[in-house]
Amino acid sequence: MIKDCTRREFLGTLGTAVAGICVSPARLAFASRAPTAPVAVGRCYIYGAEVVQVLSTMFDQLGGLERLVKGKTVAIKINLTGLAANRLRHLPLELTHWTHPQVIGATVHLLGQAGARRIRLLESPMSTAEPLEEFMLQANWEPRDFMSAAPVVEFENTNYLGRAKKYSRLWVPDGGLMFRAYDLNHSYEDCDVFVSLAKLKEHVTAGVTLSMKNCFGITPCTIYGEEAGKDEPSLVPRGGRGMFHHGERQPSKSALSEIDLRSPRDPGYRVPRVVADLVAARPVHLAVIDGIETMMGGEGPWTSGRRHVKSGLLIAGTNCVTTDAVAMALMGFDPIADRGKPPFETCDSTLRLAEDLGVGSRDLRQIEVVGTPIAQAKFNARSA
Amino acid sequence: MSLNPNWIPMKWTGGPLGVQRRAKAQTFTPEVKGMLTARMDPASLELVRGTPVNCLVVEWAAGEPANRDQQSALVPLIEAGRRIGISFVGRVERTADLRAALAAGLQAGLSGVLVEGSSAQVEDLPVILQCSRSNIPWDSHVPILSVTDNRWPGLEIHETEETPDAVTGPTGVPWVNSNGWFSMLARQLAAGKALWLDMDPPPQIEHWRPAGYSAAVADSYAYGTRWMISLDEKLSVGAHRRQPEAIRVWERVVAIMSFFKEHADWAGFQPQGSLSVVSRFRGEEEALGGEVLNLLSRQLVQYRVVEKSRLASTSLEGLETILWVDEEPPTSETRSELLDFVTRGGLLISASFWGPPDCKPLVADYSDHYKICGLGKGKIAASKDGFHDPYQVAVDTHLLMSRRSDWVRLFNAGTAISYFSADPNSRKELVQIIDYRTSGVSEFVTAWVRTSNRSARFWSLESKEPAPLQGVPAGTGVEFHLPSLSTYSALEFEHRGVG
């Protein structure tokens, strides 16, 4: 928690719009020494067999997967946001706002090939405790395809307790911005390697949703949902994560409540901080962003201004902040931008907050881009 | 005179008795009184002349001498109606002397009477029995049954001081009131009989119309039963006065009835699905069994209904799953048949375990609430706690059988329900879609159908002719991108392609 800054008084007089500049000297020191890591950019225009080839090349450019995953249990958080029955026009969900199964399958295959002992696909599908495979079937996907992509592939719906006896409490190093710790499905602790396999999108609340914002969905709605249990987690998840957005209530009492109950209830303040907390508490070892086909104008078909975009991009890195910084640059945004500047017109920058937490650097000057240069692949997300 | 199961009925409330009964209502106005009185005028028949409506249900009172005014007022109407091919059925109160009322009615030109109650002695008489769902004499010999306590079809609306909101279910999907499941059940329990659904528009009908009336027609006719058309007082007054808005709503009702009349063969199609729901559906089992059907429909699960005493005479061909809803185990004969179904590869879901002791336990792959064991090529999933919550039973059933067993999935149609039926003789298949939204249309709806057919004919109320649709293969089925979806539409397939 920021102990050396009178943030409460500061916010009280200046409002939340400038809250982001209130950063402790300790955090500024973190930012200046936030780690960096190379980011690979690949061009890929269709969801065909070439996805494997492009991703394979990119992973090699990052130093190879084997050193990261051999003999390990790898958990992959994919992005299946919203209801499976809601599409942008007639388009299958994977062409707009869900990670495409071809990219998932290719990643699973390459991880398996690199020696991953056990690969677990994770997501917290909206308002249901049904098996993840069933949720996928609802979208006309065939989960068995993933099972044949590597020797051991498992699925888990992480929106509730699942088969574990208890939730895993993951602490945010150095105290956290919104919560000191988060209670999560065991899958996020019981893994050696954590992969965020995201979609390249804008986001109405957080500006962009990339490998970091994808981790917002690791939180179970049984604890952090609008209809979570009051004292104990509910048995099944219902509704969305309104408490993270608006702070209208606190999590189930079994979990830690937010650090400062008087902090702004502004979603543009809260959501980026929760995301930054989460990627600090549950470090991302490999970030992969599917931008072959996607949508802009929002994170799902329920947002206004939504549109289908073919950006022909795959992005990968071993640091989620550097990866998202490059992804932002590819979308035509400045990763150094913060509240008030695109795409963060109404929110704080998750990248800046994560950088402040020491997760990674968003400074392109500090990031080595391998594969396709940004200048060659850059597009304008706002006019695409 | 005899009863015609093909009648298309409409309530025609009016006359002195109609006025008397409504006089104490808050909504009773001079305009309503005028409309009720005018309905006895033969000229009022202009509203239904040339429409599919060919049977008017009128108040025949209690059949007592005191009601003579009502009966006298009806005579000219009946005579005029019969000249233009309209039949009349008189509603008789249960307190009446049925035989006397019937005799008087037949003499006045009625084709029969509709009487409340299931115990009336009606053998060989032109009588339609009207009962609540719980009291329907399914096995009676009458050709037409009328059922009360139906739900007005549509979204469940939560009235607020500001705008009405749709009530949502546990998954955030709007709650839909539909009688479709009941029609499917009724067709199983009263095979060969015509079933009329008696329901009046709710007082807050303003929020529904005209889509509400269209949904009311589609919600019964699509499933092979008939809503006894009933217009609210405001619409009735407007139609009587030939007000353009009212006539527009009425013409919409006529259009959808005409559509179903032109496709009368569809009403005979048989429900399809790889799931069979088996129950007694009566007595203690009525509530749970019915609600499970209702909620399975809401999840777009396609199923066949089997009353358990008829299981032995029912073909299990094409079935993948049987849901045995009742707590009571089957008879030994039925048990053998069910276990044989499992041995051959089927899934049996039951409220308790009554399988063989040597059934091989399997690790539950969906829920700890079920004891799952393997028998032959199939599985038995028996609830450990019994069936109590119909929502949970429906959800569990869908997931235990897996969405791989789905026959229809709809995208961007959260307010719609689908119904898959087929005609084994013509080898035609039909996916009917009823959208219960209160206004506007659903855009960009995609229907995924478990079929190998890549082409279909798209029927809607907006077009006389079907539109050819080419599908896109998707997984084990084909996706069809539908034009704007109003209350009712259908995909028709010319030959059997369900995979």
Side-chain angles (χ1 to χ4, degrees):
Chain A
M1 185 54 202
I2 305 170
K3 292 171 183 164
D4 49 353
C5 174
T6 55
R7 184 174 59 180
R8 290 171 197 166
E9 293 83 356
F10 185 73
L11 291 175
T13 53
L14 297 182
T16 60
V18 291
I21 64 171
C22 176
V23 177
S24 73
R27 292 208 190 288
L28 286 172
F30 252 133
S32 64
R33 64 171 192 267
T36 186
V39 176
V41 177
R43 301 303 318 239
C44 187
Y45 298 96
I46 55 170
Y47 290 107
E50 49 271 66
V51 173
V52 175
Q53 189 54 51
V54 174
L55 277 178
S56 176
T57 301
M58 292 167 63
F59 292 148
D60 285 346
Q61 289 166 337
L62 295 173
L65 290 177
E66 195 173 321
R67 65 186 173 90
L68 189 65
V69 304
K70 188 168 185 183
K72 306 274 181 63
T73 294
V74 180
I76 307 176
K77 163 65 173 69
I78 56 178
N79 188 344
L80 309 182
T81 186
L83 296 172
N86 283 3
R87 289 181 168 186
L88 175 57
R89 304 201 302 272
H90 292 296
L91 293 166
L93 296 97
E94 60 270 23
L95 294 185
T96 57
H97 57 294
W98 281 21
T99 319
H100 197 284
Q102 194 74 32
V103 177
I104 299 171
T107 304
V108 168
H109 171 71
L110 293 168
L111 288 167
Q113 207 171 52
R117 185 175 57 83
R118 185 174 168 228
I119 298 169
R120 311 196 74 235
L121 292 172
L122 313 177
E123 173 58 306
S124 307
M126 187 173 183
S127 281
T128 180
E130 68 191 298
L132 187 54
E133 302 96 300
E134 288 293 324
F135 189 70
M136 291 175 170
L137 284 164
Q138 211 178 342
N140 293 339
W141 288 20
E142 180 43 80
R144 286 175 184 153
D145 293 344
F146 302 132
M147 297 174 76
S148 60
V152 179
V153 179
E154 301 168 357
F155 302 81
E156 184 142 358
N157 176 346
T158 57
N159 210 11
Y160 74 121
L161 180 62
R163 294 196 172 279
K165 294 273 187 283
K166 63 183 183 66
Y167 288 92
S168 295
R169 178 161 295 174
L170 299 191
W171 294 87
V172 185
D174 202 35
L177 299 173
M178 291 297 296
F179 292 84
R180 274 188 283 274
Y182 294 79
D183 286 3
L184 307 177
N185 175 284
H186 75 97
S187 302
Y188 297 105
E189 185 177 34
D190 297 340
C191 62
D192 305 308
V193 176
F194 180 55
V195 180
S196 175
L197 185 39
K199 199 80 170 177
L200 185 82
K201 292 182 288 186
E202 289 185 272
H203 193 278
V204 169
T205 307
V208 286
T209 171
L210 304 165
S211 73
M212 285 196 284
K213 175 62 178 61
N214 181 34
C215 296
F216 191 65
I218 70 177
T219 52
C221 284
T222 48
I223 297 173
Y224 300 102
E226 290 119 358
E227 297 178 45
K230 189 177 175 189
D231 296 319
E232 294 294 326
S234 56
L235 293 177
V236 294
R238 298 279 180 242
R241 298 175 180 84
M243 76 173 71
F244 284 155
H245 284 256
H246 306 286
E248 75 282 7
R249 59 159 292 183
Q250 291 298 304
S252 309
K253 287 179 181 170
S254 58
L256 299 181
S257 63
E258 63 181 278
I259 296 165
D260 182 0
L261 293 174
R262 288 178 294 180
S263 67
R265 304 292 96 176
D266 165 26
Y269 173 92
R270 300 171 62 82
V271 171
R273 280 167 175 74
V274 169
V275 172
D277 275 354
L278 288 167
V279 294
R282 171 56 276 177
V284 175
H285 298 101
L286 177 65
V288 181
I289 302 173
D290 167 16
I292 296 174
E293 289 189 46
T294 184
M295 63 177 288
M296 292 295 153
E299 69 275 17
W302 53 86
T303 57
S304 58
R306 58 202 182 262
R307 59 200 183 278
H308 176 226
V309 171
K310 294 183 178 181
S311 42
L313 285 168
L314 286 168
I315 306 149
T318 52
N319 182 293
C320 59
V321 183
T322 62
T323 305
D324 284 7
V326 170
M328 270 189 68
L330 287 164
M331 295 166 79
F333 296 121
D334 176 6
I336 297 297
D338 208 335
R339 186 184 273 264
K341 299 231 173 110
F344 305 120
E345 285 92 340
T346 58
C347 61
D348 295 327
S349 164
T350 307
L351 282 78
R352 194 260 300 161
L353 293 163
E355 185 182 65
D356 291 347
L357 287 176
V359 177
S361 172
R362 60 183 166 137
D363 184 351
L364 290 177
R365 293 169 304 180
Q366 309 289 325
I367 304 168
E368 179 192 1
V369 177
V370 292
T372 307
I374 291 174
Q376 283 183 22
K378 188 174 172 179
F379 69 102
N380 187 335
R382 290 286 164 90
S383 61
Chain B
M1 288 294 168
S2 61
L3 303 179
N4 180 355
N6 294 321
W7 277 334
I8 296 179
M10 179 176 180
K11 283 186 179 177
W12 200 257
T13 304
L17 195 61
V19 171
Q20 179 192 323
R21 286 179 179 167
R22 278 155 189 76
K24 290 177 184 171
Q26 281 188 338
T27 56
F28 190 74
T29 61
E31 290 78 16
V32 171
K33 182 180 180 184
M35 177 272 295
L36 292 171
T37 304
R39 272 199 172 161
M40 296 299 102
D41 183 346
S44 65
L45 294 172
E46 280 305 308
L47 189 69
V48 293
R49 182 202 283 265
T51 72
V53 173
N54 57 10
C55 178
L56 298 182
V57 180
V58 296
E59 300 289 339
W60 194 244
E64 297 164 356
N67 303 127
R68 207 162 287 155
D69 286 351
Q70 174 77 2
Q71 296 174 355
S72 301
L74 278 166
V75 170
L77 183 79
I78 294 171
E79 287 177 358
R82 290 178 63 185
R83 282 199 293 273
I84 59 172
I86 294 175
S87 301
F88 289 81
V89 168
R91 184 189 293 272
V92 173
E93 290 182 13
R94 62 190 316 166
T95 53
D97 177 340
L98 178 59
R99 288 188 179 273
L102 180 62
L106 294 178
Q107 192 171 2
L110 295 181
S111 298
V113 294
L114 182 149
V115 62
E116 293 174 4
S118 58
S119 57
Q121 297 298 308
V122 296
E123 296 299 325
D124 304 325
L125 298 179
V127 171
I128 298 169
L129 292 179
Q130 173 153 296
C131 316
S132 65
R133 288 181 175 181
S134 302
N135 296 310
I136 303 171
W138 297 111
D139 301 322
S140 79
H141 296 293
V142 296
I144 302 173
L145 288 169
S146 175
V147 184
T148 58
D149 62 3
N150 303 293
R151 301 299 302 271
W152 182 258
L155 301 184
E156 180 80 25
I157 299 295
H158 172 61
E159 295 294 336
T160 66
E161 289 183 1
E162 296 161 358
T163 53
D165 285 333
V167 174
T168 58
T171 59
V173 176
W175 197 268
V176 169
N177 291 322
S178 166
N179 302 300
W181 66 271
F182 179 76
S183 294
M184 292 170 68
L185 173 64
R187 286 183 58 188
Q188 159 75 194
L189 296 177
K193 295 183 178 64
L195 193 82
W196 292 2
L197 302 184
D198 185 0
M199 60 188 172
D200 296 321
Q204 64 274 38
I205 184 66
E206 286 81 8
H207 297 315
W208 278 269
R209 65 178 185 185
Y213 284 104
S214 300
V217 175
D219 188 65
S220 63
Y221 279 72
Y223 292 90
T225 58
R226 287 152 197 247
W227 171 44
M228 211 187 307
I229 293 160
S230 171
L231 307 183
D232 68 286
E233 286 182 343
K234 190 174 175 185
L235 179 58
S236 297
V237 169
H240 167 63
R241 295 182 165 193
R242 310 301 290 178
Q243 290 171 348
E245 188 188 358
I247 293 301
R248 185 175 57 82
V249 175
W250 170 245
E251 286 175 347
R252 178 82 176 166
V253 176
V254 170
I256 190 165
M257 285 191 298
S258 301
F259 179 90
F260 283 107
K261 186 181 178 188
E262 288 165 17
H263 297 90
D265 57 322
W266 289 0
F269 283 24
Q270 295 302 309
Q272 301 294 299
S274 51
L275 167 69
S276 190
V277 183
V278 183
S279 169
R280 198 164 74 93
F281 294 111
R282 304 181 214 200
E284 290 179 0
E285 285 84 18
E286 181 188 339
L288 180 66
E291 196 58 12
V292 167
L293 296 181
N294 184 17
L295 293 166
L296 284 169
S297 286
R298 188 66 192 98
Q299 294 176 72
L300 308 186
V301 175
Q302 308 301 316
Y303 57 82
R304 312 178 213 173
V305 181
V306 179
E307 199 278 328
K308 68 182 179 186
S309 69
R310 306 177 194 198
L311 187 63
S313 58
T314 303
S315 169
L316 303 183
E317 188 188 344
L319 280 183
E320 296 169 8
T321 304
I322 291 176
L323 170 62
W324 182 271
V325 178
D326 299 352
E327 182 67 32
E328 184 185 38
T331 62
S332 61
E333 186 184 350
T334 303
R335 179 176 178 272
S336 298
E337 190 181 358
L338 290 168
L339 296 182
D340 184 52
F341 166 78
V342 175
T343 305
R344 286 185 278 112
L347 168 65
L348 172 67
I349 303 170
S350 59
S352 59
F353 185 78
W354 32 259
D358 58 342
C359 200
K360 183 182 166 191
L362 300 173
V363 175
D365 50 5
Y366 162 60
S367 171
D368 289 337
H369 298 294
Y370 288 82
K371 173 185 178 180
I372 298 181
C373 68
L375 182 66
K377 295 178 183 174
K379 288 193 285 189
I380 298 174
S383 172
K384 293 175 181 174
D385 313 313
F387 289 160
H388 305 292
D389 176 1
Y391 172 77
Q392 201 57 50
V393 175
V395 168
D396 288 347
T397 298
H398 195 186
L399 294 176
L400 284 165
M401 60 192 287
S402 174
R403 288 198 167 99
R404 282 195 183 84
S405 301
D406 286 354
W407 284 42
V408 180
R409 294 178 193 136
L410 296 178
F411 298 89
N412 297 343
T415 51
I417 289 180
S418 62
Y419 171 48
F420 199 126
S421 60
D423 178 17
N425 298 320
S426 66
R427 296 167 64 85
K428 279 185 179 176
E429 292 171 339
L430 190 65
V431 178
Q432 298 180 90
I433 301 168
I434 302 172
D435 193 340
Y436 295 86
R437 62 184 302 150
T438 52
S439 60
V441 294
S442 292
E443 300 281 7
F444 300 111
V445 174
T446 297
W448 177 91
V449 182
R450 184 176 162 184
T451 179
S452 55
N453 267 325
R454 291 203 189 177
S455 61
R457 298 203 294 171
F458 178 76
W459 293 93
S460 71
L461 300 175
E462 284 68 37
S463 177
K464 285 276 181 192
E465 297 298 324
L469 278 188
Q470 285 301 311
V472 181
T476 54
V478 177
E479 283 189 359
F480 295 91
H481 299 166
L482 309 184
S484 297
L485 205 66
S486 60
T487 302
Y488 176 85
S489 53
L491 285 168
E492 185 185 26
F493 300 94
E494 278 301 327
H495 60 85
R496 188 163 183 78
V498 171

